[in-house]
Amino acid sequence: MASNKQGGGKQQAAAASPGPDQKDEELDPKFEWLDNANNFLLRLYLTGFKKEDFRVQVDGTGKLTVRGQRPAAGSKHNTRFHKVFQLPSNANIDDITGRFEASVLTITVPKRPAPTSSAPAPTSVQEIKQKAPTAKQEPQPQFDEAPNKKKQQQEEEEEAAAKKTKKLQEEEAIAKHKPATTTERKQAEPTTAAPLPGHVVDRESLAEKVKRRAEEECAKAAAAAEAAEEKTATALSRWRERVAGELEHLGDMRWAEGVVETARRNKDVIATAVAAFSLGFFVSHKFFCRR
């Protein structure tokens, strides 16, 4: 804190005795100048003055003027003063305040903030151009980034669609070349190469192959059924002939006459039962052999 304190006394015009040519008294008031961290402080000691007896003015160059006058005690003349102060360059003349208490005029002059060297450095070309002390800043061209973004988004969508189509084709090709049953899996050739990615499978030829294979299986099953029926019919006729022969042979035996007579009456039933049993046994044997 810096402080300057100056004093003055009354300066009177030389006059031997009061008369009409006597001048007003000039007062040189005491003042005190203080320099604080954030502001300047000016104190003037105006003993005998009132608030309405003086005024304070500040011009644009930082010149502070304080002037005033009051009636002199016991005289018709006035006591006046006129003080001029030049404020420092860092004084903020727009926010000056003052107060008058106990014959002391206190004027507070704030300081302007000093420029600091610790300001953050510009990080972009735009900030450097804005901070450069140029007389006139030309407007920077603005580029529309919407078309580029739209084009990039369209390319990404096309790429994703192509990947998805390729994956579906591969899955479809694998699904159509994979055997559906155990028999088809055994009949499939192990050396057959897998379809390459993107290979288009002929659906019509594949469907025809499957249909032809199904027809062949049906024909084989029908032929096997016909052969089984023929064998069954042949066996049935043979069993009937054999049973009839046995029954005739038993007719010659006296102790079996009753049995033979009963068998003759029911020979058709017995022959049918035997044929049915033989047919069932034959079909069961074929079925278990195929499994």
Side-chain angles (χ1 to χ4, degrees), residues 135-203:
K136 182 178 179 181
Q137 293 184 354
E138 297 182 357
Q140 299 295 329
Q142 301 293 333
F143 299 97
D144 188 7
E145 298 181 357
N148 295 332
K149 291 182 179 180
K150 186 175 181 181
K151 185 177 179 180
Q152 184 178 3
Q153 185 178 5
Q154 186 176 2
E155 291 178 354
E156 292 178 355
E157 292 178 355
E158 291 178 357
E159 185 177 358
K163 290 182 179 179
K164 187 175 182 181
T165 304
K166 186 176 179 180
K167 186 176 180 181
L168 291 175
Q169 290 178 354
E170 292 177 358
E171 292 179 354
E172 185 177 358
I174 293 172
K176 289 188 176 182
H177 284 78
K178 183 178 180 181
T181 61
T182 306
T183 305
E184 293 177 354
R185 189 180 298 110
K186 291 182 179 179
Q187 293 177 356
E189 296 180 0
T191 58
T192 303
L196 296 176
H199 178 67
V200 180
V201 180
D202 190 356
R203 299 181 179 180

Side-chain angles (χ1 to χ4, degrees), residues 93-111:
I93 61 177
D94 296 330
D95 296 329
I96 296 176
T97 59
R99 70 176 186 273
F100 183 71
E101 293 179 355
S103 299
V104 179
L105 174 61
T106 303
I107 299 175
T108 303
V109 183
K111 292 182 179 180

Side-chain angles (χ1 to χ4, degrees), residues 242-253 260 264 267:
R242 184 176 178 181
V243 169
E246 292 293 335
L247 291 175
E248 289 179 358
H249 178 69
L250 292 174
D252 297 336
M253 300 180 182
V260 172
R264 285 179 179 177
K267 64 181 181 178

Side-chain angles (χ1 to χ4, degrees), residues 35-259:
D35 186 356
N36 296 329
N38 298 323
N39 51 50
F40 301 105
L41 199 65
L42 175 62
R43 292 175 182 167
L44 278 80
Y45 297 92
L46 304 175
T47 304
F49 281 84
K50 298 179 181 179
K51 187 175 182 179
E52 59 270 11
D53 293 339
F54 61 87
R55 60 180 179 175
V56 181
Q57 292 179 340
V58 182
D59 61 10
T61 61
K63 187 179 292 185
L64 176 66
T65 302
V66 184
R67 67 180 65 187
Q69 66 178 8
R70 64 173 173 79
S75 175
K76 295 181 180 180
H77 301 284
N78 296 328
T79 299
R80 62 184 180 180
F81 69 94
H82 182 208
K83 298 291 290 183
V84 179
F85 303 91
Q86 182 61 46
L87 299 177
S89 60
N90 61 340
N92 187 1
I93 61 177
D94 296 330
D95 296 329
I96 296 176
T97 59
R99 70 176 186 273
F100 183 71
E101 293 179 355
S103 299
V104 179
L105 174 61
T106 303
I107 299 175
T108 303
V109 183
K111 292 182 179 180
R112 294 182 184 275
T116 59
S117 59
S118 60
T123 58
S124 63
V125 178
Q126 188 69 19
E127 292 180 0
I128 294 173
K129 291 182 178 180
Q130 290 178 356
K131 293 180 182 292
T134 56
K136 182 178 179 181
Q137 293 184 354
E138 297 182 357
Q140 299 295 329
Q142 301 293 333
F143 299 97
D144 188 7
E145 298 181 357
N148 295 332
K149 291 182 179 180
K150 186 175 181 181
K151 185 177 179 180
Q152 184 178 3
Q153 185 178 5
Q154 186 176 2
E155 291 178 354
E156 292 178 355
E157 292 178 355
E158 291 178 357
E159 185 177 358
K163 290 182 179 179
K164 187 175 182 181
T165 304
K166 186 176 179 180
K167 186 176 180 181
L168 291 175
Q169 290 178 354
E170 292 177 358
E171 292 179 354
E172 185 177 358
I174 293 172
K176 289 188 176 182
H177 284 78
K178 183 178 180 181
T181 61
T182 306
T183 305
E184 293 177 354
R185 189 180 298 110
K186 291 182 179 179
Q187 293 177 356
E189 296 180 0
T191 58
T192 303
L196 296 176
H199 178 67
V200 180
V201 180
D202 190 356
R203 299 181 179 180
E204 294 182 358
S205 61
L206 183 62
E208 290 178 358
K209 290 180 180 180
V210 174
K211 184 177 180 181
R212 186 167 57 254
R213 184 173 295 176
E215 291 177 354
E216 291 176 357
E217 293 293 335
C218 292
K220 290 180 180 179
E226 291 178 358
E229 290 179 359
E230 290 179 358
K231 291 181 179 180
T232 303
T234 303
L236 181 61
S237 61
R238 290 179 180 177
W239 275 98
R240 286 182 178 179
E241 292 176 357
R242 184 176 178 181
V243 169
E246 292 293 335
L247 291 175
E248 289 179 358
H249 178 69
L250 292 174
D252 297 336
M253 300 180 182
R254 296 178 179 177
W255 58 272
E257 290 180 357
V259 176

